[in-house]
Amino acid sequence: MSMDKMRAWKLLEDMSFVRIAGSEEDKKAAELLKDYCEAAGVPAVIEEYEIDVVEIKKATLEVLEPEYHAYPVIGIGKTANTPEEGLTGGFKYIEDATETNLTDVAGKIVLLQGRGKPDLYKTLQKKGALGYISLGGNMYEDESIKNELRPMNAFGKDNPLPGLRIHISEAEKLVRSKPEKVRIVLDAEQKKATSYNVVATIDGTDLKDEVIAFSAHYDSVPYSKGSWDNATGSVTIAELMHYFKEKGTRRTMKFVWCGAEEIGLIGSREYCKAHKDELENYIFNINFDMTGVTIGYEHCCCSTSEDTLHAIEFLAKLNNYPVKTELGTYSSDSTSFAGAGVPAITFARLQAMGGAQIHNHNDTMEHLDPDSFMITLNFAALFAEQIANAPVNPIPRKLADKVTEKLEEMKKRLAAMETKNEEEKKPEAEEKKEEAAEEKK
Ligand SMILES: [Zn+2]
């Protein structure tokens, strides 16, 4: 048996620990995957790259008048630090930061909804604001999740104002208390850290010069064991590796476990950079991001030509694989490959409305099951096998206009951000992903 759902389940359990890019656990996960490949008889290497991380040493928000109250907040990375004693001033809720909202912010700490445009913070500074607080979370979350606000970085490194993040429920209390005088403290340090891609290779036979790259990110976000997002995808490509190790393949296969996806698709972008000259031989990238959820549905986002999209739909119907397809870019590592010119797709098994959650401590094995996991995997194996062994490459090396447009948009935004900050690597994809995750909830 070349695919084994209980073996897959064991690896899924083994990978279910918090694995934040740049942490010790990140390294542990990368080594676990490399050892796993080698135990399966497939040579693997770990490729390292540098990432930016922010350590928040202190972040506080206190209302001093009319009545003292300290609110729980987290610091926003890549914003300015306050002096050690903090900044003290008035307070204003500036809602959506329209022109009208910004008329009297001088000497104040402002609270805003959303993230604001990158140039908002300079405008705020010009108008004399001292610092800002942005909202996160959802009022209807239970208390345990309210404590898991996700750390964030600001756009660009020249954000001139100290920034804090508060849960929306706390923000409601804050606004109602009509603060007259507040104090904020932020002490954060930017550092370099290392993250990893794990790359295993099965050489092809007579068509070995052509490469199919399977990918899945193995990192998780803080508080999340990332069983669903994305140990499931990681295990899916591990099973595909077993399958093709046993069956053989005419085309070469790369299995790439990407790190640092959650902080802006960094691992896959680094992979495409490091292997730039080889990518012309990569005919296809098949990415997996979240499979195996019991109450879910199959989804495939194609960053390909229309032909490939239709071929997938056709093959899915022939094999009774119930998949919803779309042409576009997905907030996952397939976008890095597509951006480098390689046709790419992401398979995901998304949750039904009101279903399982990601990006908090609820992302465990609880809502996953081996049979649901096999639905995506079985189709992917069948699909990949046909491509791997086809006499001619069946994937046109072109992207539909709609895909190209989306990639261009993303590149423009990235370029705009990079002129502000060459080190800033968090693309808009990340934000979209958060929005999508919110919607999915
Ligand atoms: Zn993911």
Side-chain angles (χ1 to χ4, degrees):
M1 196 198 322
S2 54
M3 291 197 294
D4 179 339
K5 66 183 176 189
M6 293 333 286
R7 174 182 58 201
W9 226 240
K10 167 79 170 59
L11 179 58
L12 196 60
E13 274 165 356
D14 290 348
M15 286 191 69
S16 289
F17 56 90
V18 179
R19 320 174 290 278
I20 303 162
S23 68
E24 271 305 307
E25 291 76 19
D26 184 20
K27 190 173 186 191
K28 185 179 142 193
E31 282 169 353
L32 182 155
L33 286 164
K34 179 177 188 281
D35 293 347
Y36 185 90
C37 295
E38 283 167 354
V42 182
V45 294
I46 292 182
E47 299 181 351
E48 297 187 354
Y49 46 88
E50 198 175 66
I51 58 170
D52 295 324
V53 293
V54 179
E55 188 194 337
I56 306 288
K57 295 177 166 169
K58 192 173 182 194
T60 60
L61 165 64
E62 299 159 292
V63 172
L64 305 176
E65 290 171 16
E67 208 168 302
Y68 183 87
H69 188 81
Y71 285 87
V73 289
I74 61 172
I76 298 177
K78 300 189 179 181
T79 64
N81 281 341
T82 63
E84 211 177 312
E85 69 278 12
L87 287 168
T88 303
F91 172 85
K92 186 178 183 188
Y93 175 39
I94 58 168
E95 304 176 3
D96 202 27
T98 65
E99 226 183 323
T100 316
N101 288 129
L102 301 184
T103 49
D104 59 343
V105 297
K108 291 178 183 170
I109 314 292
V110 300
L111 171 72
L112 69 141
Q113 73 94 23
R115 231 178 152 194
K117 295 208 174 76
D119 56 5
L120 169 67
Y121 304 97
K122 278 189 190 135
T123 309
L124 281 170
Q125 187 195 34
K126 251 183 246 159
K127 290 179 181 285
L130 301 177
Y132 70 97
I133 308 163
S134 75
L135 296 174
N138 178 316
M139 284 183 185
Y140 300 99
E141 283 163 346
D142 71 46
E143 290 304 318
S144 64
I145 293 174
K146 284 181 183 175
N147 296 323
E148 296 183 356
L149 263 190
R150 191 168 168 199
M152 267 198 169
N153 291 337
F155 293 119
K157 73 174 169 190
D158 49 358
N159 189 316
L161 294 179
L164 299 174
R165 211 159 177 236
I166 190 170
H167 194 275
I168 188 165
S169 295
E170 293 294 327
E172 188 178 51
K173 289 182 215 159
L174 176 66
V175 171
R176 282 188 179 160
S177 77
K178 299 190 170 48
E180 282 158 19
K181 197 173 176 187
V182 303
R183 177 165 61 211
I184 59 169
V185 178
L186 178 61
D187 180 13
E189 193 188 339
Q190 280 191 53
K191 293 177 174 175
K192 297 288 180 191
T194 304
S195 192
Y196 315 90
N197 292 325
V198 183
V199 187
T201 306
I202 298 178
D203 287 322
T205 53
D206 58 320
L207 300 174
K208 65 173 182 300
D209 291 344
E210 293 181 351
V211 178
I212 297 170
F214 297 97
S215 60
H217 76 85
Y218 73 83
D219 63 320
S220 80
V221 304
Y223 308 108
S224 169
K225 289 185 174 176
S227 300
W228 184 24
D229 181 17
N230 183 33
T232 53
S234 299
V235 176
T236 299
I237 70 171
E239 279 304 312
L240 289 167
M241 182 182 77
H242 284 293
Y243 183 77
F244 289 106
K245 164 77 180 159
E246 190 177 311
K247 290 211 139 189
T249 166
R250 295 180 73 186
R251 292 187 169 78
T252 295
M253 291 182 169
K254 295 275 181 190
F255 299 85
V256 188
W257 287 271
C258 300
E261 188 265 1
E262 298 285 8
I263 56 169
L265 316 182
I266 309 289
S268 52
R269 290 165 68 192
E270 290 289 334
Y271 183 87
C272 290
K273 230 192 273 170
H275 298 270
K276 196 167 182 271
D277 298 337
E278 303 152 39
L279 288 185
E280 64 190 70
N281 300 323
Y282 281 47
I283 65 163
F284 203 24
N285 165 239
I286 306 177
N287 181 59
F288 299 87
D289 198 345
M290 298 156 62
T291 73
V293 68
T294 309
I295 302 297
Y297 62 94
E298 297 294 312
H299 180 89
C300 180
C301 179
C302 301
S303 303
T304 61
S305 66
E306 274 101 345
D307 314 62
T308 302
L309 170 88
H310 294 145
I312 291 169
E313 288 170 345
F314 183 70
L315 190 68
K317 281 180 187 156
L318 289 183
N319 291 281
N320 214 25
Y321 174 60
V323 70
K324 257 183 161 172
T325 55
E326 67 166 321
L327 206 52
T329 52
Y330 203 69
S331 297
S332 188
D333 296 313
S334 53
T335 297
S336 304
F337 283 94
V342 180
I345 61 173
T346 290
F347 283 107
R349 182 171 174 84
L350 301 174
Q351 78 272 52
M353 291 264 279
Q357 297 182 345
I358 57 166
H359 294 176
N360 63 41
H361 72 262
N362 286 330
D363 184 354
T364 64
M365 306 279 288
E366 191 183 356
H367 302 296
L368 310 175
D369 81 277
D371 292 315
S372 302
F373 173 80
M374 293 305 289
I375 296 172
T376 320
L377 177 57
N378 281 331
F379 181 75
L382 177 142
F383 174 58
E385 189 167 5
Q386 299 205 358
I387 298 165
N389 298 325
V392 295
N393 169 14
I395 309 293
R397 197 178 184 81
K398 60 180 188 193
L399 305 180
D401 291 345
K402 192 176 162 190
V403 176
T404 309
E405 279 162 28
K406 290 208 166 185
L407 288 169
E408 285 301 318
E409 255 172 54
M410 205 172 285
K411 270 184 200 164
K412 260 187 224 156
R413 289 192 198 204
L414 272 177
M417 277 163 62
E418 272 161 10
T419 51
K420 287 202 172 79
N421 173 10
E422 293 191 345
E423 289 166 8
E424 177 63 70
K425 284 170 181 160
K426 183 170 175 133
E428 162 243 18
E430 181 61 14
E431 255 209 316
K432 267 202 200 155
K433 179 173 197 159
E434 269 164 31
E435 281 164 24
E438 288 302 320
E439 276 167 29
K440 278 182 229 159
K441 285 178 201 166

